[in-house]
Amino acid sequence: WKPEHRAAADRRGLRYESDLTDAEWALVAPLIRPAKRGGRPRTVNVREVLRIFYVLWTGCQWKALPKDLPPRSTVWEYLDLWDWDGTLERIHHALYVEMRENAGREASPTTAIIDSQTAKGAVKGGSLDTSGYDAGKKVLGRERHVLTDTLGL
């Protein structure tokens, strides 16, 4: 790590380490659609809704959201809407392209790495769960796969 990397990763000035910095918000804000015309005006600060990264960062339950974040029902409704209208996909794609370009790579990867892992099944009713079988490793259990580019994204 060089000093400029440490400065970019420093999150000490934020309320929570999972909060967006001003630079991160500048990337994400244009991707969020404005409130619909007509009806009640939006009263929720959308940047506050994105504090849902707190749940992802800490792994806490929805019920355990801190009181200074928007109500969990509001956050859930926005995330559901953004999933439905493709906003989360647009944010993911923009951040993905930004990360690749910052690493000096083309926006679209030309090489991918695939790997698999087998997880043994749990004991159910006195016998091993036989919901799957990996013949290569001769293991009972579920096999999962991951596909990533050379940066691990």
Side-chain angles (χ1 to χ4, degrees):
W1 279 64
K2 296 180 181 176
E4 59 268 16
H5 296 127
R6 290 193 188 281
D10 185 21
R11 307 193 78 72
R12 282 182 283 186
L14 304 172
R15 188 179 331 171
Y16 299 108
E17 289 187 359
S18 57
D19 287 353
L20 296 175
T21 64
D22 291 336
E24 292 165 341
W25 175 244
L27 284 172
V28 173
L31 303 173
I32 297 174
R33 294 188 176 156
K36 292 181 182 176
R37 291 182 14 204
R40 281 192 334 204
R42 180 183 282 168
T43 58
V44 176
N45 181 355
V46 179
R47 188 171 180 174
E48 294 289 320
V49 172
L50 284 174
R51 286 210 164 126
I52 191 55
F53 292 131
Y54 179 85
V55 172
L56 301 174
W57 186 284
T58 63
C60 81
Q61 299 170 342
W62 281 91
K63 291 180 184 179
L65 277 178
K67 297 296 181 194
D68 60 340
L69 298 181
R72 67 177 188 241
S73 59
T74 303
V75 173
W76 179 260
E77 287 173 14
Y78 271 96
L79 287 178
D80 190 41
L81 171 67
W82 292 342
D83 184 36
W84 178 79
D85 72 2
T87 299
L88 294 178
E89 185 72 26
R90 287 192 307 274
I91 291 172
H92 177 267
H93 182 71
L95 296 176
Y96 178 80
V97 169
E98 181 75 18
M99 287 292 299
R100 286 196 56 86
E101 289 176 351
N102 284 345
R105 306 289 181 108
E106 292 184 28
S108 180
T110 56
T111 304
I113 301 165
I114 189 167
D115 194 11
S116 66
Q117 177 185 28
T118 303
K120 290 185 177 182
V123 175
K124 290 184 180 176
S127 65
L128 193 62
D129 180 19
T130 58
S131 58
Y133 181 71
D134 184 355
K137 297 177 186 170
K138 297 181 176 52
V139 175
L140 291 173
R142 299 268 179 173
E143 188 174 19
R144 56 185 169 199
H145 298 84
V146 65
L147 177 71
T148 181
D149 65 2
T150 55
L151 293 176
L153 302 174

